[in-house]
Short mmCIF file of all heavy atoms in Angstrom, two decimals:
data_model
loop_
_atom_site.label_atom_id
_atom_site.label_comp_id
_atom_site.label_asym_id
_atom_site.label_seq_id
_atom_site.Cartn_x
_atom_site.Cartn_y
_atom_site.Cartn_z
N THR A 37 10.02 6.79 5.88
CA THR A 37 9.19 7.68 6.68
C THR A 37 7.88 7.95 5.96
O THR A 37 7.86 8.20 4.76
CB THR A 37 9.93 9.02 6.91
OG1 THR A 37 11.17 8.75 7.56
CG2 THR A 37 9.12 9.95 7.77
N LEU A 38 6.79 7.88 6.72
CA LEU A 38 5.47 8.23 6.20
C LEU A 38 4.93 9.39 7.04
O LEU A 38 5.07 9.40 8.25
CB LEU A 38 4.49 7.07 6.31
CG LEU A 38 4.73 5.85 5.43
CD1 LEU A 38 3.66 4.80 5.72
CD2 LEU A 38 4.71 6.24 3.97
N LEU A 39 4.31 10.35 6.36
CA LEU A 39 3.63 11.44 7.03
C LEU A 39 2.16 11.07 7.09
O LEU A 39 1.49 10.98 6.06
CB LEU A 39 3.83 12.76 6.29
CG LEU A 39 3.10 13.97 6.87
CD1 LEU A 39 3.55 14.23 8.30
CD2 LEU A 39 3.34 15.19 6.00
N LEU A 40 1.66 10.82 8.29
CA LEU A 40 0.26 10.46 8.48
C LEU A 40 -0.48 11.70 8.97
O LEU A 40 -0.37 12.09 10.13
CB LEU A 40 0.13 9.31 9.48
CG LEU A 40 0.93 8.04 9.13
CD1 LEU A 40 0.74 6.99 10.21
CD2 LEU A 40 0.53 7.51 7.77
N SER A 41 -1.23 12.33 8.07
CA SER A 41 -1.88 13.60 8.38
C SER A 41 -2.95 13.48 9.47
O SER A 41 -3.25 14.46 10.15
CB SER A 41 -2.48 14.20 7.12
OG SER A 41 -3.46 13.33 6.59
N ASP A 42 -3.52 12.30 9.63
CA ASP A 42 -4.54 12.11 10.66
C ASP A 42 -4.19 10.99 11.64
O ASP A 42 -5.02 10.55 12.41
CB ASP A 42 -5.90 11.85 10.03
CG ASP A 42 -5.92 10.61 9.15
OD1 ASP A 42 -4.89 9.92 9.04
OD2 ASP A 42 -6.98 10.33 8.56
N GLY A 43 -2.94 10.50 11.58
CA GLY A 43 -2.49 9.47 12.50
C GLY A 43 -2.98 8.08 12.17
O GLY A 43 -2.85 7.16 12.97
N ARG A 44 -3.55 7.90 10.98
CA ARG A 44 -4.06 6.59 10.58
C ARG A 44 -3.24 6.05 9.41
O ARG A 44 -2.81 6.78 8.54
CB ARG A 44 -5.52 6.67 10.16
CG ARG A 44 -6.43 7.04 11.30
CD ARG A 44 -7.87 7.02 10.91
NE ARG A 44 -8.11 8.02 9.87
CZ ARG A 44 -9.22 8.09 9.15
NH1 ARG A 44 -10.20 7.23 9.33
NH2 ARG A 44 -9.38 9.02 8.24
N ILE A 45 -3.06 4.73 9.41
CA ILE A 45 -2.41 4.05 8.29
C ILE A 45 -3.48 3.20 7.61
O ILE A 45 -4.31 2.59 8.27
CB ILE A 45 -1.20 3.21 8.76
CG1 ILE A 45 -0.38 2.76 7.56
CG2 ILE A 45 -1.61 2.05 9.64
CD1 ILE A 45 1.02 2.33 7.90
N ALA A 46 -3.45 3.22 6.29
CA ALA A 46 -4.43 2.46 5.51
C ALA A 46 -3.70 1.55 4.54
O ALA A 46 -2.71 1.94 3.92
CB ALA A 46 -5.34 3.40 4.73
N VAL A 47 -4.16 0.31 4.47
CA VAL A 47 -3.58 -0.68 3.57
C VAL A 47 -4.71 -1.31 2.79
O VAL A 47 -5.75 -1.67 3.34
CB VAL A 47 -2.82 -1.77 4.36
CG1 VAL A 47 -2.26 -2.83 3.42
CG2 VAL A 47 -1.72 -1.15 5.19
N GLY A 48 -4.52 -1.45 1.48
CA GLY A 48 -5.53 -2.09 0.64
C GLY A 48 -4.88 -2.91 -0.45
O GLY A 48 -3.67 -2.84 -0.67
N ASP A 49 -5.68 -3.70 -1.13
CA ASP A 49 -5.15 -4.51 -2.23
C ASP A 49 -5.38 -3.77 -3.55
O ASP A 49 -6.18 -2.86 -3.64
CB ASP A 49 -5.81 -5.89 -2.25
CG ASP A 49 -7.29 -5.81 -2.54
OD1 ASP A 49 -8.06 -5.49 -1.61
OD2 ASP A 49 -7.67 -6.05 -3.69
N VAL A 50 -4.64 -4.17 -4.59
CA VAL A 50 -4.70 -3.48 -5.87
C VAL A 50 -6.06 -3.61 -6.55
O VAL A 50 -6.43 -2.78 -7.37
CB VAL A 50 -3.59 -3.96 -6.83
CG1 VAL A 50 -2.23 -3.58 -6.29
CG2 VAL A 50 -3.67 -5.44 -7.10
N GLU A 51 -6.82 -4.62 -6.22
CA GLU A 51 -8.15 -4.79 -6.80
C GLU A 51 -9.22 -4.02 -6.03
O GLU A 51 -10.39 -4.07 -6.36
CB GLU A 51 -8.51 -6.28 -6.86
CG GLU A 51 -7.60 -7.06 -7.78
CD GLU A 51 -7.88 -8.55 -7.75
OE1 GLU A 51 -8.66 -9.01 -6.88
OE2 GLU A 51 -7.31 -9.25 -8.59
N GLN A 52 -8.80 -3.33 -4.98
CA GLN A 52 -9.68 -2.53 -4.13
C GLN A 52 -10.84 -3.34 -3.54
O GLN A 52 -11.94 -2.85 -3.38
CB GLN A 52 -10.19 -1.31 -4.90
CG GLN A 52 -9.07 -0.40 -5.34
CD GLN A 52 -9.55 0.82 -6.11
OE1 GLN A 52 -10.74 0.99 -6.36
NE2 GLN A 52 -8.62 1.66 -6.47
N GLN A 53 -10.55 -4.60 -3.21
CA GLN A 53 -11.52 -5.48 -2.59
C GLN A 53 -11.50 -5.36 -1.07
O GLN A 53 -12.53 -5.52 -0.42
CB GLN A 53 -11.26 -6.94 -2.98
CG GLN A 53 -11.31 -7.21 -4.46
CD GLN A 53 -12.73 -7.16 -4.98
OE1 GLN A 53 -13.65 -7.63 -4.32
NE2 GLN A 53 -12.91 -6.58 -6.14
N THR A 54 -10.32 -5.10 -0.53
CA THR A 54 -10.14 -5.07 0.92
C THR A 54 -9.38 -3.82 1.31
O THR A 54 -8.44 -3.42 0.63
CB THR A 54 -9.33 -6.31 1.38
OG1 THR A 54 -9.97 -7.47 0.90
CG2 THR A 54 -9.23 -6.37 2.88
N ARG A 55 -9.80 -3.22 2.43
CA ARG A 55 -9.10 -2.04 2.94
C ARG A 55 -9.09 -2.13 4.46
O ARG A 55 -10.10 -2.41 5.09
CB ARG A 55 -9.81 -0.77 2.50
CG ARG A 55 -9.06 0.47 2.92
CD ARG A 55 -9.61 1.70 2.25
NE ARG A 55 -8.80 2.83 2.63
CZ ARG A 55 -9.28 4.01 2.89
NH1 ARG A 55 -10.57 4.24 2.79
NH2 ARG A 55 -8.49 4.99 3.24
N PHE A 56 -7.92 -1.87 5.03
CA PHE A 56 -7.73 -1.91 6.48
C PHE A 56 -7.21 -0.54 6.90
O PHE A 56 -6.23 -0.05 6.35
CB PHE A 56 -6.73 -3.00 6.85
CG PHE A 56 -6.40 -3.05 8.30
CD1 PHE A 56 -7.21 -3.72 9.20
CD2 PHE A 56 -5.26 -2.42 8.79
CE1 PHE A 56 -6.91 -3.78 10.55
CE2 PHE A 56 -4.94 -2.47 10.14
CZ PHE A 56 -5.77 -3.14 11.01
N VAL A 57 -7.86 0.09 7.86
CA VAL A 57 -7.42 1.39 8.39
C VAL A 57 -7.27 1.27 9.90
O VAL A 57 -8.15 0.72 10.57
CB VAL A 57 -8.45 2.50 8.05
CG1 VAL A 57 -7.99 3.84 8.60
CG2 VAL A 57 -8.69 2.58 6.55
N HIS A 58 -6.15 1.77 10.41
CA HIS A 58 -5.90 1.68 11.86
C HIS A 58 -5.24 2.97 12.33
O HIS A 58 -4.29 3.46 11.71
CB HIS A 58 -4.99 0.49 12.16
CG HIS A 58 -4.77 0.26 13.60
ND1 HIS A 58 -5.71 -0.33 14.42
CD2 HIS A 58 -3.72 0.56 14.41
CE1 HIS A 58 -5.24 -0.41 15.65
NE2 HIS A 58 -4.03 0.13 15.66
N ARG A 59 -5.75 3.51 13.41
CA ARG A 59 -5.13 4.70 14.01
C ARG A 59 -3.91 4.27 14.82
O ARG A 59 -4.00 3.43 15.70
CB ARG A 59 -6.12 5.42 14.90
CG ARG A 59 -5.57 6.72 15.46
CD ARG A 59 -6.64 7.45 16.27
NE ARG A 59 -6.09 8.61 16.91
CZ ARG A 59 -6.02 9.81 16.33
NH1 ARG A 59 -6.52 9.99 15.12
NH2 ARG A 59 -5.48 10.83 16.97
N VAL A 60 -2.75 4.86 14.48
CA VAL A 60 -1.51 4.48 15.16
C VAL A 60 -1.02 5.55 16.13
O VAL A 60 -0.05 5.33 16.84
CB VAL A 60 -0.40 4.15 14.13
CG1 VAL A 60 -0.75 2.90 13.36
CG2 VAL A 60 -0.12 5.31 13.20
N GLY A 61 -1.67 6.69 16.13
CA GLY A 61 -1.25 7.77 17.04
C GLY A 61 -1.71 9.11 16.52
O GLY A 61 -2.60 9.21 15.69
N ASP A 62 -1.06 10.15 17.03
CA ASP A 62 -1.35 11.50 16.57
C ASP A 62 -0.77 11.69 15.18
O ASP A 62 0.06 10.90 14.72
CB ASP A 62 -0.74 12.53 17.52
CG ASP A 62 -1.41 12.52 18.89
OD1 ASP A 62 -2.62 12.20 18.95
OD2 ASP A 62 -0.72 12.83 19.88
N ARG A 63 -1.20 12.74 14.52
CA ARG A 63 -0.64 13.00 13.19
C ARG A 63 0.85 13.30 13.31
O ARG A 63 1.34 13.73 14.35
CB ARG A 63 -1.38 14.14 12.51
CG ARG A 63 -1.17 15.46 13.18
CD ARG A 63 -1.96 16.51 12.46
NE ARG A 63 -1.73 17.81 13.09
CZ ARG A 63 -2.20 18.91 12.62
NH1 ARG A 63 -2.95 18.91 11.54
NH2 ARG A 63 -1.94 20.05 13.23
N GLY A 64 1.57 13.03 12.23
CA GLY A 64 3.00 13.29 12.23
C GLY A 64 3.75 12.27 11.40
O GLY A 64 3.16 11.49 10.64
N GLN A 65 5.07 12.29 11.53
CA GLN A 65 5.93 11.39 10.78
C GLN A 65 6.17 10.11 11.57
O GLN A 65 6.36 10.14 12.78
CB GLN A 65 7.27 12.05 10.46
CG GLN A 65 7.17 13.15 9.44
CD GLN A 65 8.55 13.65 9.02
OE1 GLN A 65 9.58 13.18 9.49
NE2 GLN A 65 8.56 14.59 8.10
N PHE A 66 6.18 9.00 10.83
CA PHE A 66 6.41 7.69 11.43
C PHE A 66 7.45 6.93 10.60
O PHE A 66 7.41 6.97 9.37
CB PHE A 66 5.11 6.87 11.46
CG PHE A 66 4.09 7.39 12.44
CD1 PHE A 66 3.30 8.47 12.13
CD2 PHE A 66 3.95 6.79 13.68
CE1 PHE A 66 2.36 8.96 13.03
CE2 PHE A 66 3.02 7.26 14.59
CZ PHE A 66 2.22 8.36 14.26
N ASN A 67 8.37 6.28 11.29
CA ASN A 67 9.30 5.36 10.63
C ASN A 67 8.54 4.05 10.46
O ASN A 67 8.03 3.49 11.43
CB ASN A 67 10.55 5.14 11.47
CG ASN A 67 11.36 6.40 11.61
OD1 ASN A 67 11.53 7.15 10.66
ND2 ASN A 67 11.84 6.67 12.80
N VAL A 68 8.47 3.56 9.23
CA VAL A 68 7.63 2.40 8.93
C VAL A 68 8.42 1.37 8.12
O VAL A 68 9.19 1.73 7.23
CB VAL A 68 6.38 2.83 8.13
CG1 VAL A 68 5.55 1.64 7.73
CG2 VAL A 68 5.55 3.81 8.94
#
Side-chain angles (χ1 to χ4, degrees):
T37 302
L38 292 179
L39 177 60
L40 304 179
S41 61
D42 59 2
R44 295 185 297 167
I45 192 161
V47 178
D49 64 281
V50 295
E51 295 175 351
Q52 299 180 358
Q53 301 288 321
T54 306
R55 184 168 183 219
F56 175 84
V57 180
H58 184 77
R59 184 176 175 88
V60 293
D62 293 330
R63 66 181 182 175
Q65 289 188 359
F66 290 79
N67 295 318
V68 176

